[in-house]
Amino acid sequence: MAATVRFCGRCGAQVAPGAPFCGRCGAPLAGQALAAQPVYSYPLARPVAHPTPRQRNLSQVMIAGGLLVALAIVTVVISAFAVSHFTSGSHSNCTVNCAPKFVTPLPDGATYRSSAFNYQVSYNAAWTVRAQDANGVTLGTKIGSVQVIGTKGGTADAVLQSTVAALPTATWQNVVLVSAVKGAHIGDQDGVGSLYAANLIGAGGAAVKVRFAVIAATRSATTVVIFAVDPVDLKSSPSGMPEAPDFDYLCTEFVWG
């Protein structure tokens, strides 16, 4: 085994093995040898155990599974609350500072049924019945009138044209076609319709400018024609018939036999 090379702690000169003093400066070497010995000894630190990739993946899966379970529980609780709130019937109706209700109520209705053609007409209960028989009914509206008549055979277009042509010229003057009625229908049956302008001569001879609509539809060899008239008022309605929504309601609520 090779001898350990020693150096003087004061001057740095190399000294012979086993020499008690430095050959250059005479400094004792026994104290330096003892000082070179380690005074304290510390235990080695315990190595830290790091998780393996498999252990990390398993932990992440467990955490994700726990979050999913918690989310499912919250969803079930919220759903149960919503169902119980809307189906239990225990909630109270709003009476103060309530939000507006966007519901347009339908007018109170009355009904006429044709015994000859078995169709049914629902109309505004504020209207009056001026005439009726087995074939149809004539109603007085708030400012005008409407007539519903059933006939056997013919086509909707032919019945419409014959209805307008049959108007007495002594009463209906200057009849002019304004436009076709788009989407004309009677009940669930598509039909044809036209809008006209005319001067209506009253009992006293005074002429009133009016707009009238004629709508006809055919089903199972039965043709129904609806004739509605109003004093013209272009400010209240684009068609010039202020009661056009009520007439449309009558056409929509019509039930075929």
Side-chain angles (χ1 to χ4, degrees), residues 49-202:
H50 297 282
T52 63
R54 182 177 180 181
Q55 291 175 336
R56 286 198 298 268
N57 293 338
L58 181 60
S59 300
Q60 293 173 356
V61 170
M62 293 178 65
I63 294 174
L67 292 176
L68 290 176
V69 171
L71 180 61
I73 293 175
V74 172
T75 303
V76 170
V77 171
I78 294 176
S79 301
F81 172 78
V83 171
S84 62
H85 180 71
F86 287 104
T87 60
S88 62
S90 59
H91 60 279
S92 59
N93 294 326
C94 178
T95 56
V96 179
N97 297 329
C98 304
K101 296 181 180 180
F102 299 96
V103 178
T104 302
L106 293 176
D108 294 334
T111 302
Y112 161 82
R113 180 181 294 275
S114 169
S115 58
F117 300 102
N118 200 34
Y119 65 78
Q120 180 176 302
V121 179
S122 296
Y123 56 91
N124 193 324
W127 296 353
T128 59
V129 177
R130 294 182 178 176
Q132 62 178 333
D133 56 21
N135 298 325
V137 61
T138 301
L139 303 167
T141 66
K142 294 181 179 179
I143 59 175
S145 65
V146 59
Q147 185 179 37
V148 183
I149 298 294
T151 60
K152 201 68 175 177
T155 64
D157 188 69
V159 172
L160 187 152
Q161 297 298 330
S162 62
T163 299
V164 177
L167 293 175
T169 57
T171 307
W172 297 88
Q173 297 180 357
N174 302 326
V175 176
V176 178
L177 175 65
V178 176
S179 66
V181 177
K182 297 182 179 180
H185 67 283
I186 297 180
D188 58 356
Q189 181 65 49
D190 292 336
V192 294
S194 296
L195 178 67
Y196 297 88
N199 292 330
L200 181 61
I201 308 301

Side-chain angles (χ1 to χ4, degrees), residues 182-240:
K182 297 182 179 180
H185 67 283
I186 297 180
D188 58 356
Q189 181 65 49
D190 292 336
V192 294
S194 296
L195 178 67
Y196 297 88
N199 292 330
L200 181 61
I201 308 301
V208 178
K209 293 184 178 297
V210 297
R211 289 286 174 92
F212 67 92
V214 184
I215 298 175
T218 302
R219 174 181 288 187
S220 301
T222 297
T223 300
V224 174
V225 60
I226 297 177
F227 185 100
V229 58
D230 263 350
V232 64
D233 186 356
L234 295 175
K235 294 182 179 180
S236 300
S237 174
S239 65

